[in-house]
Amino acid sequence: PNAENNGLKTNQLLEACDIPGDRYRVFIEDVADAFFETDIKGKFVFFNDALCRIFGYARDEIQGYSFRRFMDDENAAMAFESFNSMFRTGSGVSNLIWEISRKDGQKRILEIHASLLGGEKNAMTGFRGIARDITATVRTQEALKASEIQTRKQYRASRQAEQRYRGVLEFLPIPVVVINIDGTVSCLNPAFERVFGWSLDELKGGHIDFVPPDQKDKTKQGIQRLYAEKRIYGFETKRLTNSGNLLDIIQDGAHFYDEEGKPTGQVVT
């Protein structure tokens, strides 16, 4: 088809829609969506500049070529099936997804709304459609989905690790307590409960009041050592039980850190 045929096609469409030619051309050429018409074999016979921009080809590289030129075999087969379905049923299609390959090799995802074109005596002469570039939207949705999947994987891995560590804590015969950076209790094992008499339900989120008055200065020094050395071993001190008994104990301690390397708490045994 040549420019004369393009003009004839446009005039026929203007007459059918009863839209003044100048207004129609402004509408067709200024919209961001691609407007196109093909013959019955799927060759482009009329289209606006937006189609050229989306496809990345010059007008003369699209005119008269089949849609197959701009797709891989898989997408071309799906597009053909859609055209064929319209031809068989006489019904248009909405929200059809095409993936095209631009001249520069980039892939673009288009949302297509298309219908049949009829000629004299209702003969089918081709197809007319609007194509919207939804690549950015689809890529954003894919990224969000991938992020959600990764988050779920990390959560499951974290839960599995937590279950393993809790299993180890419960198995250890020595008292272990996990303390947040603000000094509140995060976790403790059954051995701690047996020796000191407090349960996790009693202490979680609170402080353990088990440092005797005469051990407070020494305990502060031990905490300072822990911050400086990141871990301490064999720290000899005394601690009170829930019932008021005084125990001689030897403590080991170590900090744990967040992803930025900042200490977020300590494990004390």
Side-chain angles (χ1 to χ4, degrees):
N2 53 31
E4 182 179 352
N5 289 334
N6 271 346
L8 178 61
K9 197 71 173 179
T10 303
N11 290 335
Q12 290 172 344
L13 186 58
L14 296 180
E15 292 173 2
C17 298
D18 194 26
I19 300 175
D22 56 346
R23 293 185 185 179
Y24 176 83
R25 279 187 290 273
V26 168
F27 170 74
I28 290 296
E29 294 303 335
D30 286 358
V31 293
D33 295 340
F35 182 92
F36 67 88
E37 293 180 1
T38 73
D39 63 17
I40 204 67
K41 294 182 178 180
K43 295 180 179 180
F44 290 102
V45 296
F46 175 74
F47 46 89
N48 63 351
D49 289 343
L51 188 91
C52 299
R53 291 195 299 269
I54 293 172
F55 278 45
Y57 285 85
R59 180 171 292 274
D60 60 1
E61 294 175 305
I62 300 174
Q63 185 74 39
Y65 286 96
S66 169
F67 63 89
R68 292 177 177 275
R69 181 187 187 190
F70 311 100
M71 300 178 179
D72 60 26
D73 292 342
E74 181 180 358
N75 283 280
M78 290 190 292
F80 174 80
E81 179 56 34
S82 300
F83 281 135
N84 198 29
S85 176
M86 279 190 284
F87 185 79
R88 292 195 312 268
T89 64
S91 300
V93 295
S94 297
N95 303 320
L96 179 66
I97 303 300
W98 282 3
E99 183 179 273
I100 64 163
S101 300
R102 286 170 47 91
K103 189 175 182 178
D104 60 11
Q106 293 184 29
K107 302 290 185 181
R108 308 301 293 179
I109 300 173
L110 309 183
E111 181 182 74
I112 306 293
H113 302 267
S115 60
L116 282 167
L117 279 173
E120 296 181 359
K121 298 181 181 180
N122 296 322
M124 305 302 181
T125 60
F127 305 90
R128 173 187 295 155
I130 295 175
R132 174 168 296 173
D133 188 345
I134 60 170
T135 306
T137 300
V138 172
R139 297 296 184 236
T140 299
Q141 292 172 345
E142 290 174 347
L144 288 173
K145 185 176 181 180
S147 177
E148 290 172 359
I149 292 173
Q150 183 63 25
T151 299
R152 287 197 294 269
K153 287 181 178 179
Q154 290 175 344
Y155 174 77
R156 286 196 296 268
S158 176
R159 290 290 296 168
Q160 291 171 353
E162 180 181 353
Q163 290 170 358
R164 286 196 298 269
Y165 295 144
R166 286 186 180 276
V168 172
L169 285 178
E170 292 177 2
F171 174 77
L172 288 175
I174 59 174
V176 180
V177 59
V178 180
I179 300 174
N180 298 316
I181 198 66
D182 61 359
T184 58
V185 173
S186 172
C187 182
L188 55 83
N189 70 341
F192 185 96
E193 184 174 344
R194 289 193 301 270
V195 171
F196 291 98
W198 284 285
S199 69
L200 180 59
D201 290 339
E202 293 175 290
L203 294 178
K204 188 169 185 178
H207 295 81
I208 312 175
D209 186 18
F210 70 159
V211 180
D214 63 347
Q215 295 292 312
K216 290 187 181 296
D217 288 341
K218 186 175 183 180
T219 299
K220 289 180 181 178
Q221 294 172 6
I223 293 173
Q224 291 172 353
R225 275 186 56 200
L226 181 59
Y227 271 99
E229 301 173 15
K230 299 184 179 179
R231 58 181 58 86
I232 59 173
Y233 301 101
F235 181 74
E236 297 183 8
T237 184
K238 301 178 186 289
R239 292 292 182 265
L240 294 168
T241 66
N242 192 16
S243 61
N245 294 326
L246 186 65
L247 302 179
D248 291 310
I249 64 172
I250 299 176
Q251 288 185 332
D252 297 332
H255 274 308
F256 53 89
Y257 301 84
D258 62 16
E259 293 179 353
E260 297 179 353
K262 297 178 180 178
T264 58
Q266 54 191 262
V267 179
V268 180
T269 65

